Amino acid sequence: SKMTVKAVKMPCTAPNVYTKVPDGGWGWTVAFAFFFVEALTYGIIKSFGVFFNDLMESFDETNSRISWIISICVFVQTFTAPLSTVLSNRFGHRFVVMAGGVLISTGMVTASFARTVVDMYVTIGVISGLGYCLSFLPTVTILSQYFDKRRSLVTAVASTGECFAVFSFAPAITALKEQIGWRYSLLSVGVLQLSIVICGSLLRPIIIKEQEEVKPQPPEEPTETKYMLENEQTRTSIESIDSGVEITTSPSNVPGKTKAELKSEEPKEHVQILAENNSTPPEPKTKLLDFSVMKDYSFICYAFFGLFATLGFFAPSLYIIPLSLSLGIGKDRSAYILSAMAIAEVFGRVSAGWVLNKKPIRKIYIELICVVLLSVALFAFPFASEFWGLMTCSIFFGFMLGTVAGTHIPLLAEDDVVGIAKMSSAAGVYVFIQSIAGLAGPPLAGVLVDTTQNYSSAFYSCAAGMVLGAVFLSLVRPCKAGLCRRQQQHTEESAAEVAPDLPDDFIEMDIAKAENSGKGCDSA
């Protein structure tokens, strides 16, 4: 409790020090910052579909080439995740997120002056993509450190910033384009994203120092019998001792004394100081990036789940408006479909967080059910042929997407995957593996659209990837359970090898030796 009071009195630049995970406190401010970081990162990425047709007409490019803008952005964002982890462990989460906000704004503002699609690849794809990585991943990592029991619910609610952004940005940018054009609209978005710097300044680091319980040490067993027989009367008063045998604590007669004890006795204060020094060994240096998680089979399966599931995360949001326009739906009503998807995603994220916050519950199985239903939602899109059918599919997809997108990264902190101790490094490696699908997903969907001349085919690749992701997700828990059993078996075998093979009657043997030596003394 004293450590917590100190943390409140510290200046805003100092880390918060707690004796245990606070499940609140400054964590609420971090959750507030994460809400806006989500809105200004993933919210903008998912709303980028409103610029799709404008960029095709302005640059006279195909669907697949325009899709590479977001593909490169998502690839850079996920591919540089280990770099984000290293920088966060080296310089702190606050500095990294603030630097990411500057990069995002710089890339977007510069993209508004682009003359070719290649310029967009560099500005939005590379510069803003790197900024998205530096802003999002450290924020969600430090938020997980501030909460334990409420982690799933708080993370899910805070991640709804992305959904509210899509709900509000899609119609707002559409209306703004009609007034000032797509270039100045993109410039306005870049200026707005500069506020990520303010959010990053609120991310105070957290230190958990558990109070060490001082356990009373058991009394030391004496090395010899400490009966000082001062005179002959005391010596003869003990009935169990033969009068011819003298018990003394002189160094010459006590075998328990070592040579060091014969020469000098160590002061008690000196021994106490040595004990204190040995009880608090120096803390090991924190690894900037721990790749040992790659040895965990459960994490490998979970990483493959993220790899294939990413195929279905971004493409539907990019192609929902072109799909609606191809079905003869107006621009305004198309924007409402995207907004409805975002609102449904809000309810999905909150519902998933509420369910996963219940105990006891196996969270990995709840995630698996949500992924299976998300696959069904993706397969349903090609069967929609008019506004209300597409609206229904979008709402169902948005809800199920919220249940998965808001929980798949925080779920790394659960013991079924890697645990909170390795959360930072695992998140970096996990998102890094996702980069392959993030790069290939939208262009693959674009190629299918250009080949078939049908936007519905883009959703088939997303659904296929989600089904493969569900298969690998179903293997996470069995791999973790098998690994635990192997570790337990190895521990038991090691303990059996170390234990000495002592005879059952070793106590009786020692007593017999003592009696024989006593008889020998009497006969002498």
Side-chain angles (χ1 to χ4, degrees), residues 193-235:
Q193 288 178 310
L194 191 61
S195 57
I196 294 177
V197 176
I198 301 176
C199 298
S201 64
L202 300 176
L203 304 181
R204 294 176 63 179
I206 180 174
I207 299 176
I208 306 296
K209 288 188 175 181
E210 298 181 358
Q211 290 181 340
E212 296 182 358
E213 297 181 359
V214 180
K215 296 182 180 180
Q217 296 181 352
E220 296 181 358
E221 296 182 359
T223 56
E224 70 278 344
T225 306
K226 294 183 177 180
Y227 292 105
M228 300 298 295
L229 303 181
E230 298 291 342
N231 48 49
E232 186 68 23
Q233 181 179 0
T234 306
R235 184 179 295 110

Side-chain angles (χ1 to χ4, degrees), residues 217 266-279:
Q217 296 181 352
E266 293 287 342
K268 293 182 179 180
E269 297 180 357
H270 181 62
V271 175
Q272 184 176 0
I273 294 174
L274 290 176
E276 292 177 355
N277 291 337
N278 293 333
S279 62

Side-chain angles (χ1 to χ4, degrees), residues 152-433:
S152 298
L153 180 60
V154 171
T155 305
V157 173
S159 66
T160 57
E162 167 188 338
C163 312
F164 283 108
V166 176
F167 171 74
S168 57
F169 287 165
I173 295 174
T174 301
L176 190 63
K177 285 192 306 175
E178 296 178 357
Q179 300 296 325
I180 61 177
W182 71 267
R183 291 188 181 273
Y184 286 106
S185 299
L186 194 61
L187 177 65
S188 302
V189 171
V191 173
L192 179 64
Q193 288 178 310
L194 191 61
S195 57
I196 294 177
V197 176
I198 301 176
C199 298
S201 64
L202 300 176
L203 304 181
R204 294 176 63 179
I206 180 174
I207 299 176
I208 306 296
K209 288 188 175 181
E210 298 181 358
Q211 290 181 340
E212 296 182 358
E213 297 181 359
V214 180
K215 296 182 180 180
Q217 296 181 352
E220 296 181 358
E221 296 182 359
T223 56
E224 70 278 344
T225 306
K226 294 183 177 180
Y227 292 105
M228 300 298 295
L229 303 181
E230 298 291 342
N231 48 49
E232 186 68 23
Q233 181 179 0
T234 306
R235 184 179 295 110
T236 57
S237 65
I238 302 178
E239 297 178 355
S240 60
I241 303 298
D242 189 86
S243 58
V245 180
E246 179 178 322
I247 300 179
T248 179
T249 57
S250 62
S252 58
N253 293 338
V254 179
K257 284 285 184 177
T258 61
K259 294 182 179 179
E261 289 174 332
L262 295 177
K263 293 181 179 179
S264 61
E265 293 289 332
E266 293 287 342
K268 293 182 179 180
E269 297 180 357
H270 181 62
V271 175
Q272 184 176 0
I273 294 174
L274 290 176
E276 292 177 355
N277 291 337
N278 293 333
S279 62
T280 57
E283 297 181 357
K285 294 183 179 180
T286 304
K287 293 182 179 180
L288 295 180
L289 187 62
D290 187 5
F291 278 103
S292 63
V293 294
M294 295 299 295
K295 300 178 181 179
D296 193 335
Y297 294 124
S298 61
F299 173 75
I300 294 175
C301 291
Y302 196 81
F304 275 108
F305 149 69
L307 174 68
F308 291 107
T310 305
L311 293 173
F313 283 167
F314 296 101
S317 300
L318 290 176
Y319 285 99
I320 189 65
I321 290 182
L323 175 62
S324 62
L325 294 176
S326 67
L327 295 176
I329 303 173
K331 292 183 179 180
D332 294 336
R333 301 183 78 186
S334 300
Y336 288 137
I337 293 176
L338 188 60
S339 298
M341 181 189 296
I343 291 298
E345 189 175 345
V346 172
F347 288 100
R349 288 173 183 262
V350 175
S351 300
W354 180 77
V355 171
L356 294 179
N357 201 50
K358 297 293 183 179
K359 290 185 177 181
I361 192 172
R362 186 66 68 183
K363 298 180 181 180
I364 200 74
Y365 293 149
I366 301 298
E367 185 85 354
L368 178 60
I369 295 174
C370 295
V371 172
V372 172
L373 294 177
L374 183 58
S375 303
V376 175
L378 288 169
F379 276 116
F381 272 102
F383 297 96
S385 58
E386 42 85 28
F387 173 77
W388 288 111
L390 199 59
M391 176 69 79
T392 303
C393 292
S394 298
I395 292 175
F396 181 45
F397 169 79
F399 183 86
M400 299 315 305
L401 178 64
T403 60
V404 177
T407 56
H408 71 110
I409 292 181
L411 209 62
L412 290 167
E414 300 299 325
D415 292 334
D416 280 341
V417 189
V418 294
I420 188 62
K422 296 183 178 181
M423 165 70 177
S424 180
S425 295
V429 177
Y430 173 74
V431 178
F432 169 77
I433 294 174

Side-chain angles (χ1 to χ4, degrees), residues 73-97:
C73 178
V74 174
F75 172 76
V76 173
Q77 176 190 1
T78 52
F79 186 80
T80 55
L83 174 63
S84 175
T85 301
V86 171
L87 293 177
S88 298
N89 291 334
R90 178 64 179 86
F91 301 104
H93 297 79
R94 174 189 291 144
F95 173 78
V96 174
V97 173

